[in-house]
Amino acid sequence: MLDGILSGLGTAIMPMNLLMVLTGCFVGTFIGMLPGLGPITAIALMIPITYGLDPSSGLILMAGVYYGAIFGASSSSILINAPGCSATVVTTFDGYPMAKRGHAGKALAIAAYASFTGGTLGAIMLLIAAPLLAKVSLSFQSADYFALMVLGLSAVAAFAGKGQVAKALMMTVLGLMLATVGTDRSEGVERFTFGQMDLVDGFSFLLLAMATFALAETLMSIMQGGSNEAQSGKELEPVELGSMKLTLAEVKEMAPTTLRSSILGFFVGVLPGAGATIASFLAYGAERNIANDEQKKEFGKGSIRGLAAPEAANNAASTGSFVPLLTLGIPGSGTTAILLGALLSYGIQPGPQMYVEYPDLFWSIIISMYFGNVVLLILNLPLIPYLAKVLNIPRPYLIPMILLFSITGVYLVSFNSMDILIMVAVCVAAMVLRILQFPMAPMLLGFILGGMLEDNLRRALLISDGSLSFIWERPITLSFILITAMILLSPVIRMLLVRYKASNERVAAKHS
């Protein structure tokens, strides 16, 4: 193993490969910043370029583009509430409110530091434990994945305000329902398409994300009189960048959050099919659940913890997703599926023997990830003042730009004009729901997990002959279900404890 690491280090520090890291990070960051274009698009654009490169250089370039795009997608999430990809949806919850409060520079800096920490810790853990983690990943069965998805759905409590858990649950169910539209992946039967060929493939995640966040936010700001100043003939005040420096108290607040979320994100990323999106939702939910009552009030309004957690988790998960790809030959996400295709095009079969047969390639990809995170930090911090200028673009110009990026991004996925009409319809429905104070995040979470939840439940039921005994027969499955029950019951238990404490105080007051 040590010989392999040294061989990989020698390959990674070759001038050509260092140039590939730099190029990949820069291109990935730029494409990630554009709403509607994510890491899948970025890597797909790189494939023709890699054909003329040797395997290590080509894969190092594409790996750099991958985590560069995740890193860069947070910028559009924070500045204009338009997630660059699904993994940065959670970043909008606290990043955008922080930017609106005049702390855009600080929000971008927190995202950069958290992303760097998550990516670096992920690369170190991957370096140390890749072969061992392959065995852990292989031990997971359909029942365990089903329980993990249920645990992910229990995070809805993190997106609900006080007394709004029922609304969050309803939106989660709506998301699960939307995930069933299209062709059944097991039976090949059309479901809820109403004879419309445009719905055969179901709804696009990008369509829902753009409609419920970027498009709805833009139109809501217009409806709420965001242009009153323009109507009265006054120029809009430029949005302040604010200080990029973090105080010692802020560093102390985000440090444990970043550490916890990096570890959680990495291990979620290791699981095939989980990926950076689920990792970011779980990390956000976990941080909100362990926060005290005072800190919980900040979530959704510009919380440092709420911004640092998903940023650390999604970058660590992006690194962790290379474990099933390189050691099992199983793509953990759509992005790593493209990387798998690139490996196969080079005549390399990833799997348990890859780090024995191709040690220089295997370890050079992992080591280059650390270099990539350093490059991303150096690249992004100086760009923050320029990125934040997006907020100073006059609204009459900024709003059409956001609409253009949103609509163009959705159209480029399928080249189907029907998707734009569906997007408008979803946007109108989202605006009505937002006016009624229904949270949008649980709906997206339900949609993201819906397909995987259904597939794994079906396989688990098939293995157990239709019995629900799979829930308690496997220790891993049972553990996830018990953790889910604890999370769902914690608000009730907390409420009962508060009432018990209040009644004791009343009794003590009477006696005194």
Side-chain angles (χ1 to χ4, degrees):
M1 180 175 169
L2 184 60
D3 290 340
I5 293 173
L6 292 173
S7 173
L9 180 61
T11 305
I13 62 174
M14 289 171 62
M16 180 65 176
N17 290 340
L18 289 175
L19 178 64
M20 289 299 104
V21 171
L22 185 63
T23 305
C25 291
F26 181 80
V27 171
T29 302
F30 179 75
I31 294 177
M33 286 177 188
L34 301 175
L37 301 178
I40 294 180
T41 308
I43 289 180
L45 291 170
M46 289 294 105
I47 286 177
I49 298 171
T50 61
Y51 285 148
L53 302 172
D54 65 82
S56 57
S57 298
L59 289 164
I60 285 171
L61 172 66
M62 286 194 282
V65 169
Y66 180 23
Y67 44 80
I70 297 285
F71 202 105
S74 60
S75 300
S76 59
S77 296
I78 290 169
L79 296 175
I80 58 174
N81 202 36
C85 63
S86 60
T88 59
V89 167
V90 189
T91 304
T92 63
F93 301 165
D94 285 283
Y96 184 62
M98 195 179 287
K100 284 173 73 178
R101 279 164 43 182
H103 300 301
K106 184 168 285 189
L108 289 166
I110 289 169
Y113 291 130
S115 297
F116 171 74
T117 306
T120 302
L121 288 176
I124 292 169
M125 286 188 280
L126 183 57
L127 186 69
I128 295 169
L132 178 65
L133 288 169
K135 294 176 184 175
V136 175
S137 183
L138 203 57
S139 69
F140 263 62
Q141 294 183 8
S142 298
D144 307 324
Y145 282 115
F146 166 73
L148 179 66
M149 302 299 121
V150 173
L151 176 60
L153 289 172
S154 70
V156 294
F159 314 120
K162 194 172 182 180
Q164 288 200 320
V165 177
K167 284 185 176 180
L169 289 170
M170 288 166 68
M171 293 302 289
T172 307
V173 172
L174 175 61
L176 291 170
M177 291 166 66
L178 290 174
T180 62
V181 175
T183 304
D184 187 319
R185 288 186 283 191
S186 299
E187 305 293 335
V189 178
E190 289 182 22
R191 300 185 300 188
F192 310 113
T193 60
F194 306 104
Q196 293 289 324
M197 286 301 294
D198 296 300
L199 293 177
V200 167
D201 292 328
F203 294 111
S204 156
F205 169 80
L206 182 64
L207 184 154
L208 292 178
M210 287 291 140
T212 54
F213 281 86
L215 212 58
E217 177 69 33
T218 305
L219 297 178
M220 285 288 284
S221 69
I222 296 170
M223 284 177 59
Q224 291 166 357
S227 56
N228 285 345
E229 295 91 340
Q231 290 170 2
S232 62
K234 296 179 184 177
E235 287 194 14
L236 291 169
E237 292 280 328
V239 178
E240 291 294 324
L241 168 67
S243 173
M244 287 167 50
K245 292 181 180 178
L246 302 180
T247 64
L248 185 61
E250 288 169 338
V251 171
K252 285 182 177 178
E253 184 179 355
M254 70 176 280
T257 295
T258 305
L259 182 63
R260 284 191 297 265
S261 300
S262 299
I263 295 169
L264 172 64
F266 178 75
F267 284 106
V268 171
V270 166
L271 305 174
T277 305
I278 295 172
S280 60
F281 275 98
L282 284 175
Y284 187 87
E287 283 304 315
R288 191 183 183 280
N289 286 331
I290 64 175
N292 60 40
D293 291 338
E294 197 63 35
Q295 291 166 336
K296 275 182 183 172
K297 292 176 185 175
E298 281 295 306
F299 277 77
K301 299 175 183 176
S303 165
I304 290 173
R305 289 183 171 207
L307 175 56
E311 280 299 297
N314 62 30
N315 276 269
S318 299
T319 307
S321 67
F322 279 82
V323 172
L325 174 68
L326 297 176
T327 58
L328 301 176
I330 300 171
S333 63
T335 312
T336 49
I338 295 176
L339 287 169
L340 174 63
L343 275 168
L344 295 173
S345 70
Y346 281 122
I348 297 167
Q349 177 62 55
Q353 292 300 309
M354 184 178 170
Y355 66 95
V356 177
E357 296 174 0
Y358 304 98
D360 55 337
L361 175 62
F362 182 87
W363 295 112
S364 66
I365 293 171
I366 294 172
I367 292 166
S368 73
M369 289 178 185
Y370 175 73
F371 295 151
N373 279 285
V374 175
V375 167
L376 284 169
L377 190 65
I378 295 170
L379 192 68
N380 279 272
L381 284 177
L383 289 177
I384 285 175
Y386 303 101
L387 292 175
K389 288 185 185 297
V390 170
L391 290 173
N392 292 334
I393 297 173
R395 291 175 65 84
Y397 301 110
L398 181 61
I399 287 172
M401 283 171 61
I402 295 171
L403 296 176
L404 175 66
F405 276 126
S406 302
I407 294 169
T408 306
V410 168
Y411 181 73
L412 289 176
V413 170
S414 61
F415 294 98
N416 186 353
S417 57
M418 182 66 178
D419 281 358
I420 297 174
L421 298 176
I422 294 171
M423 183 182 181
V424 172
V426 172
C427 174
V428 171
M431 289 171 66
V432 173
L433 289 168
R434 287 175 71 151
I435 290 168
L436 296 173
Q437 296 188 326
F438 279 84
M440 291 293 105
M443 186 269 286
L444 280 180
L445 179 62
F447 181 79
I448 291 165
L449 299 184
M452 293 184 284
L453 183 81
E454 181 184 4
D455 291 346
N456 286 296
L457 176 59
R458 279 186 171 182
R459 283 195 290 266
L461 288 170
L462 192 65
I463 292 168
S464 62
D465 294 324
S467 168
L468 291 175
S469 60
F470 69 85
I471 292 174
W472 56 82
E473 283 178 348
R474 288 182 55 77
I476 300 175
T477 308
L478 184 60
S479 299
F480 281 142
I481 295 296
L482 290 175
I483 293 169
T484 302
M486 286 167 61
I487 290 171
L488 292 175
L489 292 174
S490 61
V492 178
I493 294 169
R494 195 179 294 118
M495 183 182 69
L496 292 174
L497 286 173
V498 169
R499 286 184 180 177
Y500 177 72
K501 186 179 178 182
S503 66
N504 281 349
E505 287 174 355
R506 282 198 299 270
V507 169
K510 283 181 182 177
H511 286 301
S512 63

